[in-house]
């Protein structure tokens, strides 16, 4: 069983749309949660951390549900530049192991 | 800006050859990681080093070894390359003292084993 599961997509949305991605994780000992972004043929980069109370960064909102072991990312007012693969990542308590989902591909179209 | 540099972007090797993948980071990070990324499988941890000369096996260490003689450099070694090691290899570093989850990745090394 994978540690982190994501819908691979692709999600094809028009500019300006709101889109949501979800992921689930299997290890209840997971302590920290993140969304990374990976552009085509590029390395992953941190998009945002996910806090228990939920957090927002501009057009991006992340939510965590520990009881259901579920993380979400909401993107409002999608831009063409948001087209990428979004990786859900969980870390155990000492940060020496990060588990990556296989990613959800987003295509934003004009 | 943190820079993580991987020595080779593209390599083609033959089965049985020894392969060295080098990674250098310039921000004095304590932790360094080697991952491989395959379609549908995501990033999988091969080895992790939390300090010089320290290493821990990740989830898929078989067929790989690592070396960390200096803080800035973390090498991945394939003693005898096999076709199932064809993959994208990503090195990452992390600042342990910052107590954050931010990993800084290199651009990756795409290895093809024939």
């Amino acid at each position: 069983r994978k540690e982190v599961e994501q819908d691979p997509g692709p999600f094809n949305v028009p500019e300006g749309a709101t889109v949501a991605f979800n992921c689930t994780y299997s290890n209840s000992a997971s302590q920290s949660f993140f969304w990374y972004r990976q552009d085509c043929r590029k390395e992953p980069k941190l998009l945002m951390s996910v806090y228990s109370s939920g957090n927002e960064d501009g057009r991006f909102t992340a939510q965590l549900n520990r009881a259901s072991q579920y993380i979400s990312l909401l993107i409002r007012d999608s831009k063409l530049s948001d087209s990428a693969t979004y990786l859900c990542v969980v870390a155990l308590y000492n940060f020496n192991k990060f588990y990556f989902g296989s990613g959800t591909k987003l295509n934003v179209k004009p | 800006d943190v820079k993580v540099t991987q020595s080779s972007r593209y390599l083609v090797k033959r089965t049985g050859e020894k392969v060295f993948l080098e990674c250098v980071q310039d921000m004095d990070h304590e932790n360094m990681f080697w991952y491989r990324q395959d379609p549908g499988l995501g990033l999988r941890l091969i080895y992790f080093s939390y300090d010089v000369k320290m290493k821990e096996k990740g989830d898929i260490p078989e067929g790989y070894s690592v070396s960390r003689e200096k803080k800035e450099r973390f090498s991945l070694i394939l003693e005898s390359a096999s076709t199932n090691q064809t993959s994208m290899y990503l090195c990452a570093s992390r600042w342990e003292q910052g107590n954050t989850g931010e990993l800084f990745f290199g651009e990756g090394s795409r290895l093809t084993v024939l």
Side-chain angles (χ1 to χ4, degrees):
Chain A
R1 184 184 175 185
K2 287 184 183 177
E3 294 280 344
V4 180
E5 301 259 18
Q6 292 183 254
D7 179 344
F11 285 59
N12 298 307
V13 303
E15 271 186 292
T18 295
V19 61
F21 309 135
N22 304 317
C23 90
T24 56
Y25 61 94
S26 60
N27 190 339
S28 59
S30 300
Q31 291 286 319
S32 302
F33 309 89
F34 312 92
W35 284 100
Y36 275 69
R37 171 192 167 128
Q38 186 172 25
D39 293 311
C40 190
R41 301 190 205 288
K42 296 282 195 179
E43 72 274 22
K45 292 185 179 178
L46 179 66
L47 177 66
M48 60 195 300
S49 301
V50 186
Y51 302 118
S52 296
S53 53
N55 49 297
E56 197 171 296
D57 183 1
R59 298 181 293 108
F60 298 84
T61 300
Q63 299 274 0
L64 168 65
N65 184 323
R66 284 188 186 269
S68 302
Q69 296 184 197
Y70 167 101
I71 305 158
S72 66
L73 177 68
L74 182 79
I75 305 175
R76 289 182 299 278
D77 189 23
S78 298
K79 312 288 184 195
L80 294 176
S81 57
D82 293 334
S83 297
T85 296
Y86 291 83
L87 306 175
C88 178
V89 183
V90 305
L92 300 182
Y93 68 95
N94 54 1
F95 288 114
N96 69 351
K97 283 201 171 180
F98 291 76
Y99 292 100
F100 286 75
S102 53
T104 298
K105 188 169 174 62
L106 172 66
N107 296 318
V108 181
K109 304 200 180 288
Chain B
D1 271 358
V2 174
K3 185 124 177 95
V4 180
T5 304
Q6 294 184 229
S7 54
S8 306
R9 292 294 305 277
Y10 300 95
L11 302 98
V12 180
K13 298 291 182 180
R14 297 210 173 270
T15 301
E17 282 193 81
K18 192 168 186 174
V19 182
F20 291 89
L21 298 178
E22 298 261 287
C23 174
V24 178
Q25 49 94 3
D26 66 359
M27 284 301 290
D28 204 35
H29 285 174
E30 296 86 358
N31 301 163
M32 296 188 75
F33 306 79
W34 274 107
Y35 289 89
R36 62 178 282 177
Q37 185 173 28
D38 300 289
L41 296 177
L43 278 78
R44 293 179 291 165
L45 181 64
I46 305 171
Y47 265 97
F48 159 66
S49 170
Y50 49 92
D51 210 338
V52 177
K53 296 192 187 293
M54 302 295 197
K55 61 187 179 186
E56 277 191 27
K57 292 181 180 179
D59 299 308
I60 52 163
E62 297 78 19
Y64 303 95
S65 61
V66 290
S67 172
R68 190 147 180 224
E69 296 296 317
K70 292 185 178 182
K71 192 173 186 179
E72 67 270 19
R73 188 180 298 269
F74 191 34
S75 303
L76 180 69
I77 303 143
L78 289 66
E79 292 289 342
S80 177
S82 62
T83 54
N84 63 12
Q85 292 178 311
T86 291
S87 188
M88 171 66 85
Y89 290 87
L90 288 160
C91 174
S93 71
R94 176 182 165 262
W95 181 39
E96 184 171 322
Q97 303 305 318
N99 200 31
T100 76
E102 186 163 13
L103 296 174
F104 294 88
F105 284 89
E107 291 184 305
S109 299
R110 184 166 291 283
L111 172 67
T112 301
V113 183
L114 302 175

